[in-house]
Amino acid sequence: MTAPAVTAEPSRDCPLCPRLHDFIGEWRGREPSWYNAPVRTFTPAEGDLSVRLLIVGLAPGLRGANRTGRPFTGDYAGDLLYRTMIAYGFARGTYAARPDDGIELVGSAITNAVRCVPPQNKPVGAEIATCRQFLAATIDRFENLQAILTLGAIAHQSTVRALGERVAAIPFKHGKRYQVGNLSIFPSYHCSRYNTNTGVLTEEMFVNVFKTIAEAIQPLD
Ligand code: URA
């Protein structure tokens, strides 16, 4: 008997990581108006077949995606990410840090290596490994995918493993481009407040990654 196909989205009450399940439960009590659930992949209105670029973040921020329900929305990191996506035609509209701001993705999708908010923004290895089944199914659902932008070492390594490759062969290095079958992988430092405040990632460095990706992506026939 073959194993059932794994869906690309965990259930709203996904019990697979007890620590994350409990943490979300605690925040449901504290902030009942928040989203407080695994955050689903943000996809374009044009549908899955239009997606050529997948962006993989780390995990929802407590007061960002965990509150709003949309990846990088309400997080400091989202300001730079959505601004740069709009500049390179991967999103349109105006980003206003709210899930009803009307911003639309264009040929792109945004997901997280870990779908539930982790305490202190730090998922543990077992949680990253458990949630990888959803990341792998997410990569699979986009039949015309050409490129993956991995934000930070954890997202990068989990993506590499989801693709069945060895991390030692495809190490995280900002600004590199790797080829895995038909997919180009572009690692970047995460666009977090910490990285931009400390100068680990400048806006110019981030923009240059998007420039390279935009040049690498082929238009759909
Ligand atoms: N918000 C997300 O959804 N993911 C991140 O990696 C950071 C902020």
Side-chain angles (χ1 to χ4, degrees), residues 123-147:
V124 301
E127 293 159 353
I128 299 163
T130 298
C131 212
R132 191 170 304 127
Q133 60 189 294
F134 302 109
L135 177 58
T138 298
I139 295 170
D140 279 354
R141 75 183 263 198
F142 301 120
E143 289 176 28
N144 293 317
L145 195 63
Q146 296 178 20

Side-chain angles (χ1 to χ4, degrees), residues 39 56-61 64-65 70-73 75 77-78 111-112 121 151 190:
V39 175
V56 183
L58 170 60
R70 195 177 71 182
F72 286 90
T73 300
D75 291 303
T111 196
N112 281 304
N121 214 22
L151 295 176
H190 194 286

Side-chain angles (χ1 to χ4, degrees), residues 15-16 34 36 53 56 58 62 77 92 102 114 116 131 150 180 188 202 220:
L16 296 178
W34 288 8
N36 288 319
L53 169 66
V56 183
L58 170 60
L62 178 63
R92 62 178 165 238
V114 173
C116 292
C131 212
T150 55
V180 177
S188 168
T202 63
L220 291 180

Side-chain angles (χ1 to χ4, degrees), residues 127-187:
E127 293 159 353
I128 299 163
T130 298
C131 212
R132 191 170 304 127
Q133 60 189 294
F134 302 109
L135 177 58
T138 298
I139 295 170
D140 279 354
R141 75 183 263 198
F142 301 120
E143 289 176 28
N144 293 317
L145 195 63
Q146 296 178 20
I148 304 181
L149 167 61
T150 55
L151 295 176
I154 291 177
H156 178 75
Q157 290 166 3
S158 199
T159 300
V160 168
R161 292 191 173 111
L163 291 169
E165 299 291 326
R166 284 181 320 114
V167 165
I170 305 181
F172 174 79
K173 191 163 187 342
H174 175 89
K176 277 278 283 182
R177 173 181 178 170
Y178 297 105
Q179 202 62 32
V180 177
N182 293 334
L183 290 176
S184 299
I185 314 298
F186 297 88

Side-chain angles (χ1 to χ4, degrees), residues 49-63:
L49 290 180
S50 71
V51 173
R52 286 161 291 153
L53 169 66
L54 176 65
I55 297 171
V56 183
L58 170 60
L62 178 63
R63 292 178 171 75

